Structure formats: C-alpha cells, structure tokens
Amino acid sequence: MDIDAALEKYAALQSRYEKAVQDVKEIIEKVAGGADIKCRISGRAKDPASFQKKAIIKQYADPWSMMTDKAGVRVVVERHRHVDDLKEALKNSGDIEVLHIDDKRQTESPDKLTYSGVHLQVAAPLEEGDSEEVQCEVQIRTVAQDAWSVVSHSLLYKPALELPEDHKRAIYRLVALVEIFDEEVQRVLDAMTSIEGYELTDIIEAAENEYLSLAHSTSRRDFSVYILSRIISTIPDADRSTYPDRLKRYVQENRNKLKYIYERMGPKSGVASEPTYALFGQAESLVLLERLEAAPHLLIEQWKQAGLPRRLLQTLVDELGLSIEIHE
C-alpha cells in the first residue's frame, strides 16, 4: 500500500485508533493498580500529517503495515524494576494481547549507549465493525529514562543540524548516568524496607494508590505522614506489614460508597476548599475511614491524645453515619 492509500485509510480510521488508545490506557491502569505499580500514563493517536511525514522520512515500502505506532501509549514508572514488573503483569494479565516486545536495553554492542526503555506491541480490544486488528505501541520507561528521551529526541533524532560525533557521544554518555540514577534509586528504596517505621511509608503508598482510583487526585504526603504517624498505634504492630492488603480489600468491598463520598466531599467537590473537609482531600482519609469502622473508639482516643482538630475527624464520623460525638 503506497503513502496516499495508507494516509486515506488512516484518516478514515483515526477515531478508531483514538478509541484504542483510551482502551489500552484503561487496561494498563487496571493492571498497574493490581500490581501496586505507581505510574503516569499518557497516549495519543497520530494525526494524519504526522503519519504522512513519518512515512516519507522512513521511506516505508508499505506505510500501513510498517508504521506500528499509529496508536501509542507511554507509561512512566517510578522504580527501575517496575519496568519489568509491568511488562510481565501485562503479559500475564489476560486483559490484553502482547504481540511483540522490543527491549531497548538489549543492544548488539555493549559499548553502544542508546535509549533504554521497553516497547510492547499490543492488540487493542476488538470493537464491533473492526475489519482488522488495531495495534498500539506501549512504551514503558522510568522517570529518568523519560527525561533523557525527551532531551535526546530533540538533540539526536530531530536536529536542525547534524551533530559532530564527539557531541553525539557526549549526549549518549548521559544514558550511563540514567542507568546509574535508576539503579541507585532502586537500591535505596530496597534498603528502606529494613528501616524501622517503613511500614508507615508502605501504608501511605497503598492509600495513595487506592485514593487516586477513587478521587482522581493526589494529596500532600507530608500531611499524610503527620496524621498517620500519630494514629499508627491503632493498627497492631503484627498487622502493619499486611495492612496495605487490608486497606485494598476495604476499598474493594466499599468502592461504590467511597466513590460517592469523594464525589460529594473530595478534592473536586464544591466543599474542597473548606477547612472542615480537608481530610477528604487526602489519601490518608481512606485509612481513617477504615479505622473508624474497625476500631472507632481507639482511633478517636488516639486522635484526641495527639491534639488533632476534632472537627476534621468529626466530618468523617458523620459521613459514615456513626453516632459518635467527638468531644475536645
């Protein structure tokens, strides 16, 4: 198929590829959430002009079949090992078909420094009326790899001038720094698990993951640390390592109720800016809601001993319909 025919076909199917991007993003969000992988997901379908330009530059013999990124999704993960974790989770999920994996970390020559992300070619879920498979390219990167990719793309792949070899080498050397950065961050994160009090961080991360799926917003972590560090004793020491799983089950069992709460009181509601409802704009509110249902009097006692404002917790108590009045 020549460029003109391929361009005409793509223009007619562009909206279908846009739908494929949304479907793939939703599947990745679901799989990543199930694997406790925090990530940032974006995507796009090529516009017809970009389709044509790439076909011309690449001199594709068959632009339609050879252009594999007509739909593209980018996933940026926080931890180095989560690149492989997410790749395996997608392969084994049963929610999406992985057709091909291109691991950019594997090079033919060990002294060649290049972009080091992982690309998956996947088949988007079928739609009624599809006459052929709709594919999507999924790029999985760390934050550092993503930053380097943006810079290198401008300097190496789309330059106005051809850079001299020594300048190219200077840019490619940054890849080594990216790899060192990712590995050192992972090493420190792994070491943190043996530090006393790490369970609090684990609980906060679990709360943030669940909160994001309910309220579609982030929260202020230093505030979360301040609140949870003062009521952590309501969770027995022996249960703290498994509490993230307990919190996840609580959210699953009460998802509709919690979604309704955050729609009315959460960070995108009409009362979001009112101080009394501040906790609904924070991820730790999930822990507080769960504790109010599991051990209300213990939580209230710890809250009062910590000298935290009564009215903040009272709004959560009232929202759950508990007949408890918190006295100063």
Side-chain angles (χ1 to χ4, degrees):
M1 186 181 295
D2 63 21
I3 291 179
D4 289 340
L7 182 59
E8 182 178 355
K9 181 175 181 178
Y10 181 69
L13 292 174
Q14 185 182 359
S15 61
R16 174 66 187 94
Y17 278 86
E18 290 171 348
K19 176 64 165 53
V21 168
Q22 294 305 313
D23 290 343
V24 171
K25 285 172 61 178
E26 289 177 8
I27 291 171
I28 294 173
E29 183 176 302
K30 173 188 171 185
V31 172
D36 289 328
I37 297 173
K38 294 181 69 175
C39 58
R40 186 174 71 248
I41 306 172
S42 59
R44 58 94 188 102
K46 275 191 181 302
D47 62 69
S50 296
F51 182 99
Q52 178 177 249
K53 290 173 185 177
K54 183 170 184 178
I56 292 172
I57 291 173
K58 294 292 186 179
Q59 299 181 25
Y60 289 137
D62 182 359
W64 183 256
S65 62
M66 297 177 71
M67 194 175 305
T68 59
D69 63 343
K70 294 185 279 293
V73 171
R74 180 177 301 168
V75 186
V76 180
V77 299
E78 294 186 354
R79 302 191 180 193
H80 183 252
R81 70 160 170 259
H82 282 171
V83 172
D84 286 314
D85 290 346
L86 183 56
K87 176 188 70 176
E88 293 302 315
L90 288 169
K91 282 173 56 181
N92 300 324
S93 69
D95 293 309
I96 196 165
E97 182 182 3
V98 177
L99 305 170
H100 175 71
I101 298 175
D102 183 10
D103 191 338
K104 301 294 185 178
R105 298 168 298 184
Q106 307 300 320
T107 61
E108 295 180 2
S109 175
D111 62 352
K112 183 180 181 182
L113 300 176
T114 59
Y115 162 73
S116 55
V118 173
H119 292 189
L120 279 64
Q121 198 69 18
V122 305
L126 285 172
E127 293 269 314
E128 185 177 352
D130 284 346
S131 59
E132 61 183 49
E133 187 175 68
V134 176
Q135 297 186 13
C136 178
E137 181 184 82
V138 178
Q139 300 178 1
I140 308 175
R141 308 170 174 173
T142 65
V143 175
Q145 288 169 346
D146 188 54
W148 186 86
S149 177
V150 171
V151 173
S152 65
H153 200 59
S154 299
L155 296 178
L156 295 173
Y157 299 110
K158 292 187 177 179
L161 299 171
E162 180 69 19
L163 289 175
E165 289 302 314
D166 60 331
H167 286 66
K168 285 185 180 180
R169 182 65 183 174
I171 298 299
Y172 279 129
R173 287 170 58 198
L174 292 175
V175 179
L177 296 180
V178 168
E179 292 180 357
I180 292 171
F181 177 91
D182 281 335
E183 289 172 1
E184 288 302 294
V185 167
Q186 188 64 63
R187 183 179 66 83
V188 172
L189 289 172
D190 289 343
M192 285 175 62
T193 60
S194 63
I195 299 174
E196 184 179 355
Y198 177 76
E199 295 92 343
L200 181 62
T201 301
D202 228 13
I203 291 171
I204 290 173
E205 287 189 353
E208 288 174 342
N209 286 338
E210 298 300 329
Y211 182 76
L212 186 62
S213 72
L214 292 165
H216 306 292
S217 179
T218 57
S219 57
R220 183 169 171 171
R221 179 170 279 204
D222 58 348
F223 190 80
S224 299
V225 171
Y226 186 87
I227 296 295
L228 291 183
S229 64
R230 283 152 178 79
I231 59 92
I232 190 68
S233 60
T234 65
I235 304 172
D237 291 346
D239 297 337
R240 290 180 193 173
S241 63
T242 59
Y243 184 78
D245 291 331
R246 175 172 182 154
L247 184 65
K248 183 180 294 186
R249 288 195 301 274
Y250 171 75
V251 172
Q252 289 173 345
E253 293 168 1
N254 298 276
R255 180 166 292 277
N256 290 336
K257 177 177 73 174
L258 292 170
K259 285 182 69 174
Y260 179 67
I261 288 174
Y262 289 114
E263 285 173 1
R264 295 176 57 250
M265 306 287 191
K268 297 183 180 180
S269 70
V271 298
S273 61
E274 296 184 23
T276 302
Y277 301 96
L279 283 176
F280 291 100
Q282 289 287 129
E284 68 272 17
S285 59
L286 283 173
V287 178
L288 297 173
L289 290 168
E290 188 278 329
R291 291 287 81 197
L292 279 171
E293 297 204 54
H297 297 292
L298 179 58
L299 174 62
I300 290 169
E301 183 61 29
Q302 289 296 311
W303 189 271
K304 291 163 68 174
Q305 286 184 17
L308 295 167
R310 178 199 64 83
R311 68 182 185 280
L312 291 181
L313 189 61
Q314 187 69 59
T315 56
L316 271 69
V317 170
D318 294 343
E319 191 61 25
L320 287 176
L322 301 177
S323 300
I324 301 174
E325 185 71 25
I326 305 174
H327 301 287
E328 296 287 2

